[in-house]
């Protein structure tokens, strides 16, 4: 078997006049009765390599089958290119056709398809330049996440996908059951008897690995999760998915300031990694979708994040003179329009807000001495608003227990979480970064469904 050369490597080659062997998919084919110019891409780079084929050297019926979308293997000579747009090309000696693509039926035969149409053919949209670029960047960011945490001594913890608790208290979760949905067993009061279910209790798909990660941090000091999470929220918007990936570090002995330091350093590391390793893909996305993309990424690296309290932010917004769709008042959650105003117009820097009202935040956040606020933090970016949410966690058993009772949360499902506050409790903090939100920001795409391979949204689970 001939060794396959990646197109990315050949385009960066310093040596020419060597034999090469590539495999990939035809992007375009042009020429005349004497010569054919075939552009081939193998997914290793956004750039194609041009193959030059002398028609007299190949079977006519074979060359007719080499159309856009066909899969081929080419053996030939890598030479300097005399044409514009490329430094090297391949003079073909042998072409093998792996798979045809009928030009009358191939959905990507023509250019200029809308992103909405491409979502309907998610099994083929990887073939486009746009989604090749997006998913190479998604891969690079995933790799960089693991690289960063490994370099900083974190332990990668795999938290459960099937859970009996609702970490956020939101209640919008997918149920997991083996019971007969048409005729489930019932108790005397008519409610479903989950004792006969597979796990002997009601279980659902997780919305977060945070609570379990906290348990790991109470022994391993610094841990992180990176896995799929699920939310049964009927939101058909460009910013919501029913299945998405979350990065959630949890750190013992970190206070809210340590937490903010880590979040800023972490997200800057990821943005820098993309700029350094995905320059061609970012340049393409900037040209096609977002002319300010690279400047906005550099903006993140070049600015120290502003740190301000929620109360300060509300005062700024109230005095701004700006007309917002959602009214601003202390005690109300900030909307994306408020967050973007703070980042883009007021501070003109990324912002980390802290000390939110406890009534709009989760039960596990550490309470401040004022009795009204908690040590929450949200990292705000241009264009997207909140990209990271986190807090110092409440380590005091009594305060946490009281808060759980105040919110009428099921103590029977959280006994194990409370017990970590009984045995060797410690100050600790953590945050969550929605991976697709990060990819959305780094790629400049406008719809979150375009940064995950197979989006799961209301009424959509086709692929």
């Amino acid at each position: 078997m001939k060794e396959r050369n990646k197109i990315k490597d050949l385009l960066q080659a310093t040596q020419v006049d060597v034999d090469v062997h590539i495999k990939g998919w035809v992007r375009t084919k042009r020429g005349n009765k004497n010569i054919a110019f075939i552009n081939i891409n193998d997914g290793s780079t956004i750039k194609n390599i041009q193959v030059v084929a002398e028609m007299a050297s190949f079977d006519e019926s074979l060359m007719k089958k080499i159309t856009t979308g066909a899969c081929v293997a080419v053996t030939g000579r890598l030479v300097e290119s005399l044409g514009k747009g490329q430094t090297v090309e391949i003079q073909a000696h042998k072409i093998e056709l792996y798979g045809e693509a009928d030009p009358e039926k191939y959905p990507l035969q023509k250019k200029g398809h809308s992103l909405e149409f491409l979502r309907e053919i998610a099994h083929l949209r990887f073939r486009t330049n746009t989604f090749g670029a997006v998913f190479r960047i998604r891969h690079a960011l995933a790799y960089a996440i693991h690289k960063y945490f490994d370099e900083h001594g974190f332990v990668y913890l795999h938290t459960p996908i099937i859970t009996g608790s609702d970490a956020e208290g939101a209640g919008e979760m997918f149920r997991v059951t083996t019971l007969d949905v048409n005729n489930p067993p019932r108790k005397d009061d008519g409610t479903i008897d989950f004792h006969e279910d597979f796990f002997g209790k009601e279980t659902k798909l997780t919305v977060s690995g945070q609570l379990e990660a906290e348990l790991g941090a109470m022994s391993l000091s610094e841990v992180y999760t990176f896995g799929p999470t699920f939310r049964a929220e009927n939101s058909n918007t460009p910013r919501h998915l029913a299945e998405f990936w979350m990065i959630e570090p949890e750190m013992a002995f970190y206070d809210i300031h340590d937490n903010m330091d880590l979040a800023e350093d972490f997200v800057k590391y990821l943005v820098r990694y993309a700029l350094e390793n995905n320059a061609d893909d970012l340049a393409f996305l900037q040209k096609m979708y977002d002319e300010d993309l690279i400047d906005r990424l550099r903006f993140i690296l070049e600015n120290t994040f502003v740190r301000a309290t929620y109360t300060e932010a509300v005062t700024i917004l109230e005095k701004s003179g700006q007309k917002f769709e959602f009214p601003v008042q202390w005690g109300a959650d900030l909307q994306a329009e408020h967050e973007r105003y703070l980042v883009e117009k007021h501070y003109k820097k990324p912002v980390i807000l802290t000390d939110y009202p406890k009534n709009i935040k989760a039960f596990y956040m550490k309470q401040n001495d004022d009795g009204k606020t908690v040590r929450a933090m949200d990292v705000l970016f241009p264009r997207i608003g909140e990209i990271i949410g986190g807090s110092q966690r409440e380590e005091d058993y009594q305060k946490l227990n009281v808060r759980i009772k105040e919110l009428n949360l099921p103590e029977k499902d959280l006994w194990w979480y409370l017990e970590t506050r009984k045995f060797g409790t410690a100050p600790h903090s953590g945050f969550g970064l929605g991976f697709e939100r990060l990819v959305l920001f780094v790629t400049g795409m406008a719809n979150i469904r375009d940064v995950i391979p197979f989006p799961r949204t209301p009424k959509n689970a086709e692929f």
Side-chain angles (χ1 to χ4, degrees):
M1 183 178 72
K2 293 185 180 70
E3 181 180 351
R4 175 187 162 214
N5 301 102
K6 293 285 187 76
I7 290 174
K8 179 180 180 180
D9 297 332
L10 295 182
L11 293 175
Q12 298 172 346
T14 57
Q15 184 179 1
V16 293
D17 292 323
V18 293
D19 290 331
V20 296
H21 183 63
I22 65 165
K23 298 178 181 180
W25 292 267
V26 175
R27 287 295 174 84
T28 62
K29 177 189 170 188
R30 59 186 176 83
N32 52 46
K33 63 180 182 180
N34 297 318
I35 194 167
F37 300 97
I38 309 165
N39 278 316
I40 296 177
N41 188 282
D42 65 1
S44 63
T45 172
I46 197 162
K47 296 178 179 178
N48 306 323
I49 197 164
Q50 179 170 276
V51 172
V52 181
E54 299 284 349
M55 296 295 283
S57 302
F58 297 94
D59 184 81
E60 183 179 352
S61 62
L62 168 69
M63 297 305 289
K64 284 183 178 179
K65 294 176 182 177
I66 296 176
T67 58
T68 298
C71 185
V72 298
V74 177
T75 302
R77 192 83 171 166
L78 186 70
V79 299
E80 289 185 12
S81 177
L82 300 177
K84 294 181 180 179
Q86 68 271 337
T87 57
V88 294
E89 63 187 20
I90 297 173
Q91 292 179 345
H93 299 157
K94 179 182 178 182
I95 300 177
E96 183 180 356
L97 180 65
Y98 283 153
E100 298 180 46
D102 186 341
E104 298 298 321
K105 298 179 180 179
Y106 184 50
L108 301 178
Q109 179 67 27
K110 297 179 181 179
K111 295 182 180 180
H113 293 300
S114 69
L115 296 176
E116 290 79 7
F117 170 74
L118 293 174
R119 282 179 220 133
E120 297 174 6
I121 54 167
H123 59 302
L124 291 173
R125 67 178 181 164
F126 297 101
R127 299 273 189 92
T128 65
N129 283 331
T130 294
F131 289 99
V134 166
F135 294 123
R136 277 188 296 270
I137 291 171
R138 183 182 171 105
H139 159 78
L141 290 170
Y143 173 77
I145 286 162
H146 291 297
K147 190 171 186 287
Y148 178 89
F149 284 126
D150 185 64
E151 290 172 357
H152 288 75
F154 280 66
V155 175
Y156 181 27
L157 202 66
H158 297 96
T159 52
I161 291 174
I162 300 173
T163 180
S165 66
D166 178 358
E168 299 294 333
E172 297 165 328
M173 300 174 74
F174 292 101
R175 180 176 291 165
V176 177
T177 182
T178 57
L179 297 177
D180 183 350
V181 294
N182 295 314
N183 187 28
R186 296 190 179 276
K187 299 178 183 178
D188 292 341
D189 62 3
T191 60
I192 296 174
D193 185 0
F194 286 102
H195 287 95
E196 296 188 31
D197 208 346
F198 185 90
F199 292 104
K201 62 180 296 185
E202 185 176 12
T203 52
K204 298 177 180 180
L205 294 178
T206 186
V207 298
S208 169
Q210 177 202 315
L211 302 191
E212 293 86 354
E214 284 187 52
L215 312 185
M218 288 298 97
S219 177
L220 300 169
S221 289
E222 289 104 358
V223 304
Y224 73 103
T225 75
F226 183 12
T229 52
F230 309 84
R231 189 156 297 175
E233 182 179 346
N234 191 19
S235 295
N236 245 321
T237 80
R239 294 170 59 83
H240 288 86
L241 291 166
E243 176 184 297
F244 52 99
W245 287 65
M246 286 288 291
I247 304 104
E248 297 173 295
E250 291 292 327
M251 300 76 64
F253 318 119
Y254 276 49
D255 64 16
I256 188 67
H257 303 288
D258 301 320
N259 204 20
M260 289 189 283
D261 289 343
L262 180 74
E264 180 173 349
D265 189 61
F266 174 56
V267 78
K268 283 183 172 180
Y269 180 97
L270 300 181
V271 169
R272 186 179 300 110
Y273 190 90
L275 282 168
E276 291 175 354
N277 292 275
N278 295 85
D280 289 342
D281 291 322
L282 289 171
F284 170 82
L285 293 171
Q286 175 168 271
K287 179 182 177 182
M288 298 299 295
Y289 295 99
D290 182 356
E291 62 182 12
D292 298 320
L293 175 59
I294 293 174
D295 283 344
R296 195 162 53 249
L297 296 178
R298 288 179 178 147
F299 169 82
I300 298 300
L301 299 184
E302 293 167 0
N303 287 286
T304 300
F305 294 9
V306 172
R307 301 184 184 191
T309 66
Y310 166 91
T311 301
E312 290 170 338
V314 169
T315 300
I316 289 166
L317 293 166
E318 287 176 335
K319 294 180 177 179
S320 68
Q322 188 90 358
K323 288 189 176 181
F324 296 110
E325 180 183 352
F326 296 93
V328 179
Q329 60 183 24
W330 201 97
D333 210 354
L334 298 182
Q335 303 298 317
E337 60 175 339
H338 307 140
E339 296 166 341
R340 290 186 59 181
Y341 176 85
L342 293 168
V343 175
E344 297 169 11
K345 295 186 178 180
H346 183 78
Y347 290 111
K348 297 181 180 177
K349 290 183 178 181
V351 178
I352 307 180
L353 292 186
T354 60
D355 302 305
Y356 282 77
K358 74 174 185 179
N359 291 335
I360 61 173
K361 288 296 183 180
F363 75 95
Y364 49 72
M365 296 188 178
K366 185 170 180 63
Q367 299 172 45
N368 287 319
D369 294 337
D370 61 13
K372 298 189 300 181
T373 62
V374 290
R375 293 184 195 173
M377 67 164 207
D378 284 348
V379 180
L380 313 181
F381 270 17
R383 187 173 179 179
I384 203 167
E386 180 198 335
I387 195 166
I388 288 177
S391 72
Q392 186 170 339
R393 315 311 190 188
E394 182 58 75
E395 79 272 15
D396 184 284
Y397 175 84
Q398 292 299 336
K399 289 182 178 179
L400 187 61
N401 201 15
V402 168
R403 189 68 181 136
I404 287 173
K405 285 181 167 65
E406 285 176 355
L407 296 173
N408 294 315
L409 299 176
E411 293 178 59
K412 63 181 177 62
D413 293 334
L414 291 169
W415 65 269
W416 48 271
Y417 185 71
L418 281 163
E419 285 216 341
T420 60
R421 276 65 175 175
K422 288 183 180 179
F423 307 121
T425 190
H428 61 291
S429 299
F431 61 80
L433 169 60
F435 187 45
E436 283 72 29
R437 290 278 179 93
L438 172 68
V439 180
L440 200 67
F441 179 79
V442 173
T443 60
M445 301 300 284
N447 195 312
I448 202 164
R449 302 174 195 201
D450 295 326
V451 298
I452 190 169
F454 303 103
R456 294 289 177 259
T457 53
K459 304 293 187 287
N460 179 41
E462 181 66 26
F463 299 95

